[in-house]
Structures are given as C-alpha cells and as structure tokens.
Amino acid sequence: PALASPAPAPSPVLAPALAAPAALPAAAADRPGDLRYSPVLPPDPALESLPGGRPDGLRALRESLERRGAHGELEAARSLYYTDSLTGLRNRAYFLERGESLLAGVPEPTAAMLDMDNFGAVNAGLAAVHGVTRGRARADAVLAVAGAALGQLARARGVTVIRLGGEEFVVLGSRDAVKAFAADARRALTPGRTLAAAGIKDGGAESRAILDAMKRLGRGDQPIGDFTYGLAAADGRSAQEALKTADAALNAAKEAGRRGSINLAAADGAPAEWTPPADAAAPAPLPVPVPRDAAAEFARLESRLTPHEARALREAAFRDPLTLARGYDYAVLRAPEWDREYAGGGTAALVSARNLKQINDILGHEAGDRYLRRLGVILRQTVERLRRRKRDAQEPVRVASKEFLLVGRDADLAARLAAEAVAKNFEGGRMLTAAEVARLRRETVARGLTPAARAKLIGTLRVVSEPLDDGRGHADALGALDRAFARLEERKRAEDEPVPPPSMN
C-alpha cells in the first residue's frame, strides 16, 4: 500500500533560525553553501525546549478505533507500534510512554541498562566476510538471539525488558527481580555463547574475522557477545533519571575494565560491582528467535481500517521515537513506491554521524540520545524547508544506529545541507554543550580513539550518495542503500577511523 509522507510541522523554536533565502539558486545542487541556509539550534539553556520529545503515537487512531469498537484492530496497532521488529521485545516508544507506569507501585523500583560487549567488532568482522549487506544481517541475527533470551528470562522473573536500539536494552522492575534477572542473563549470555547460537562457529571464518576486528580495535583480550550491566534505584525519581544513573554505572565499569560485570549505582554515585550467588546448574539452551514481518503486519492491519484510520496509521507507523525520523521497516515498505517514482532519476543519500560510540562511552547514552534527537530535528527541518522550495526529498529514515537515509531527486543536496548545519551546531555547543564537546575531544585523543588531527571532525556527518538507477534502467532504492553502505565503509577506512559498520534495525 502507498504510504503518505507528510512533512513535519515547522518548529516554533527553530522557525526564526530556518528562514530560507528569497530565491533558491538553480545551481545550488552543486554548491549547497550558496543557499546560505543552515538550520541553527537554539543556544543553551533553550536546548531542552526543542520540540519532538516524543511522537503523537497512536492517539488519533486509538480514538477512532475505540469509537467503533474495533478492539482487534487496536490491539494489532499497539503490537505494531510498541514492538521492536528485530527482537520481538518492547521498543523505545513503549519505554517513553509506559516507563513510569511500569515502576509505579513496584517495591524498590529499579532500572537496569544492558549493553552488549564489543558488538561493533561483530559487525566489523561479519562485514569483512560477507560484505556490508549480508554482514549486517548476520550481526542482526546475534541481536535477535540475545533479544529472545532476554525476553524469556524477563518473563520468568516478572520484569519488563525493552530494546532501546542497537545493542542497548533496558530492564524495569523491583530491585530483587531485576538483580535476579541480571544474574540469570549473565549466566546464560556468556562470551561467545550468543554468537554460537546465531550460527557463528568457534574457529570458523566468521569467528576469525571477528577476532581480527577485535585486534584492529585494540580490544583483543575483551569479551564478545555478553553484556555489561548497570542498575540504579528509581525511588523518588523518574525512570529516565534512574536509567541515566544506571548507564553511568555501566560506563564506569567498562572504563575500569569490568566488561561483563553487574554494577549497582550507590547513593554517593560510585558504582559497586555485585557478584551473584554461585549457581551450579547449567544454563538452558538459548531460545530460537521467531522472525517477524512488520511490513506484512502493517498491510494486513491497514486493509481493515477506514481511510481516515489508515492515514493515522501511516503517520504513526515506523516512526523512530528518539529522532522522529522513520525506521528501516518504513524504507522496506516504501521502496517499491520509490522505485516507481524515481525510475527517471533520483538519489539515495546516506548520512552517518562520526564517533557516536565515543559520545555514548565517554559522556553516557543520555548525551548520545540528545545528539541524535537534535540530529533528527536538523534532518527533518532541512527536508521540510527544501520541500517548501519545491525541491524533492522524502522523509529521513533512520536505517541504523547512527545512519540516516534520504531519497529523492534532491536527496544529496538535503544531506549536504544537513551536514553543514550539524557541523555548525556541534562546534557552537548546540548539539552537545561546549563543555561536553571539549571533554569528548580531549578524552578520545587521550585514549587513542581518534588522532588529534581529526578531533575537530567528531560529531560531524559523513555523506555518501548513490544513484537510484540500478544500471539497467530501473530504480532500486534498497539496492542503492546497500551500495551507499559499502561506500560508507570505504570512506571510513580511507579516514583511518576504526569504527565498525552499523547494524540495521
């Protein structure tokens, strides 16, 4: 089915800074700077007043379905909207809307943050064996195995597990239940066990390539495929605040060389490692993930809706709640329509944020989320402004943790304008604070993660573009995306930055 792709409403905060020039130069596609157009985020402390903290969600669709008693359709819409299609777990939208209620009335409410150790090396190694496209799919199989196991353990302990994105998961529940869950997960998801369950054989070509990637990244002696855990009490504070504290405990453990450990945040802010009681029983076999076809679910649901309800579903579906860009499943669903629309010519532009992993590891995931949320604002506002000037670009699509796809006849222009805006705002302390930017540059260089000569590039965007034409006179949007990912990896290697390829969600 065709999906509507309305432009986001202009931000009242950003509108004055986004005033377009009186006329758009005809040659601007080759010289984006000539547009004199660069979205500017407001300076601190106005950063937190940015719009787009969460999408409208299912409100409009829910009201219509409840009026006509379409309870089955409403349940299907909720399942589609609140479920991560890769792991089958609850997703970030569910956390944003239900996180507080999940902890309400729970004895000693606790939040835990889980981060898979060295998943980037898994990505890099599998890409080296299979190429970028198949390598991403193989890496996603590892996350699917982990998600199935975490879901099974969560049900047994009565806690809720949520995939925030990438290899990051959240657990909410009572203190004792969350600790018991972490102990179970630590026993079940040991280094290498998750990889083996995903079919990566010890000593095989894939395993050797992952170990080679670990050496290149300077992590040859670290565990792979298990999790590091941070736990924090939520008494008297929000789930978001507790999660931020849990994430700080997790990052402190990693910096101290305690990957794979369970760490409890203390009242004084210094996390303490917790060692679960010994358990002689062998962990149960890891469950087999159940594949999910979100696009097929969407099509079945849409066929049972009224035209008004279908429009509401199209607006809500496949929306990344962090950046308000569309999600990868949206690109899969729209690809046939794009292929028809751009048979006469068009571009797939891929933008990738440099050093997001270092932002997360050094400043915490809250800072990384803040950066991505503001990147989403810039991308959406750039596309909206170009559309008003009769330029052609589809809504941005978040196709991986730090990669976004733009499709259209002016997609490359939109991507390069957004890259200019991000560089300007990052340098101006508006993507992250000036103090955070200074710390990030200082510590990435001190740790040997980034050459000093390239520290100024941290937080900026790489841009690669590919024609939608597949070389045979037909448009192929997903094929162009794969080629763009391959070129992106070449760009990364050329810049000599050991950043692994992304995992597609």
Side-chain angles (χ1 to χ4, degrees):
L3 290 180
S5 54
S11 156
V13 176
L14 298 183
L18 287 171
L24 195 65
D30 295 324
R31 299 191 306 277
D34 290 350
L35 285 174
R36 300 185 305 280
Y37 161 73
S38 183
V40 178
L41 297 172
D44 280 328
L47 282 174
E48 297 312 318
S49 68
L50 281 173
R54 66 178 62 184
D56 183 54
L58 295 176
R59 181 183 58 81
L61 178 60
R62 182 181 67 248
E63 291 174 354
S64 178
L65 292 176
E66 286 177 343
R67 278 196 302 270
R68 67 183 183 93
H71 302 298
E73 287 79 358
L74 179 56
E75 186 58 34
R78 284 173 170 158
S79 176
L80 186 69
Y81 186 71
Y82 293 120
T83 303
D84 174 57
S85 60
L86 176 62
T87 63
L89 300 173
R90 295 301 192 184
N91 59 17
R92 184 186 288 267
Y94 188 83
F95 174 73
L96 289 174
E97 295 192 20
R98 308 285 180 86
E100 303 307 324
S101 62
L102 288 171
L103 292 177
V106 174
E108 297 185 290
T110 299
M113 184 79 171
L114 285 63
D115 187 86
M116 182 179 281
D117 289 322
N118 289 303
F119 183 68
V122 175
N123 257 324
L126 294 174
V129 174
H130 301 291
V132 176
T133 304
R134 287 196 60 213
R136 289 198 309 272
R138 290 289 290 132
D140 279 350
V142 176
L143 287 178
V145 166
L150 293 174
Q152 185 179 77
L153 296 173
R155 289 188 291 274
R157 291 296 183 180
V159 298
T160 300
V161 61
I162 296 164
R163 185 186 178 208
L164 278 190
E167 65 270 34
E168 300 155 12
F169 299 80
V170 173
V171 181
L172 302 174
S174 69
R175 179 179 175 85
D176 288 345
V178 172
K179 287 177 67 177
F181 167 86
D184 292 344
R186 188 168 181 255
R187 281 191 292 268
L189 297 167
T190 55
R193 193 165 188 249
T194 312
L195 305 185
I200 299 174
K201 299 178 180 178
D202 189 24
E206 293 178 324
S207 178
R208 292 195 304 271
I210 292 170
L211 293 176
D212 287 344
M214 289 286 289
K215 292 177 182 177
R216 291 196 306 273
L217 294 168
R219 305 174 191 170
D221 59 346
Q222 294 180 3
I224 309 170
D226 62 338
F227 284 87
T228 303
Y229 306 78
L231 281 66
D235 277 327
R237 54 182 173 170
S238 69
Q240 287 272 20
E241 292 169 334
L243 188 60
K244 183 177 179 179
T245 304
D247 184 48
L250 184 157
N251 284 326
K254 285 186 174 183
E255 291 177 10
R258 298 199 309 271
R259 288 178 182 266
S261 61
I262 301 173
N263 303 275
L264 309 179
D268 61 3
E273 183 175 359
W274 175 66
T275 302
D279 188 341
L286 296 179
V288 177
V290 178
R292 184 175 188 188
D293 189 342
E297 289 182 35
F298 180 95
R300 286 195 296 269
L301 174 59
E302 189 182 43
S303 69
R304 293 149 53 190
L305 302 179
T306 67
H308 168 76
E309 292 166 349
R311 285 193 296 273
L313 176 66
R314 292 168 195 159
E315 176 56 26
F318 310 127
R319 179 80 70 183
D320 171 38
L322 177 62
T323 66
L324 295 190
R326 296 290 186 173
Y328 176 71
D329 287 328
Y330 179 82
V332 173
L333 199 63
R334 286 295 304 274
E337 181 181 336
W338 290 340
D339 292 348
R340 292 190 297 271
E341 183 174 353
Y342 298 112
T347 301
L350 189 64
V351 301
S352 176
R354 289 181 172 92
N355 301 91
L356 179 63
K357 177 174 173 52
Q358 282 72 43
I359 294 175
N360 286 327
D361 288 350
I362 293 172
L363 302 178
H365 286 88
E366 185 274 334
D369 286 353
R370 218 176 337 122
Y371 171 90
L372 287 170
R373 189 162 56 246
R374 289 158 191 170
L375 173 56
V377 170
I378 287 177
L379 287 169
R380 290 183 289 112
Q381 291 286 349
T382 300
V383 168
E384 188 268 344
R385 182 60 64 183
L386 287 180
R387 284 180 174 183
R388 289 188 178 186
R389 293 294 173 179
K390 308 302 181 184
R391 293 298 184 111
D392 179 70
Q394 300 289 333
E395 285 185 271
V397 180
R398 190 182 181 192
V399 291
S401 60
K402 61 177 184 175
E403 278 79 29
F404 294 79
L405 170 69
L406 294 167
V407 170
R409 280 173 278 275
D410 297 300
D412 181 67
L413 173 61
R416 288 187 285 143
L417 287 171
E420 287 184 359
V422 167
K424 180 176 181 179
N425 284 284
F426 195 86
E427 190 63 35
R430 292 180 291 270
M431 301 289 285
L432 300 171
T433 67
E436 288 173 326
V437 171
R439 178 188 170 193
L440 185 62
R441 289 172 173 169
R442 181 176 64 251
E443 293 197 22
T444 53
V445 172
R447 297 183 189 186
L449 302 173
T450 303
R454 297 189 60 250
K456 286 283 188 179
L457 291 178
I458 293 173
T460 61
L461 301 183
R462 295 182 180 92
V463 176
V464 295
S465 297
E466 282 288 318
L468 292 173
D469 191 291
D470 63 0
R472 299 187 299 271
H474 303 286
D476 181 3
L478 295 182
L481 174 60
D482 288 340
R483 295 195 301 274
F485 265 121
R487 282 193 58 206
L488 178 63
E489 294 312 307
E490 293 173 1
R491 178 76 59 83
K492 290 177 182 178
R493 287 192 293 270
E495 292 183 1
D496 196 27
E497 178 179 335
V499 177
S503 169
M504 189 168 292
N505 295 339

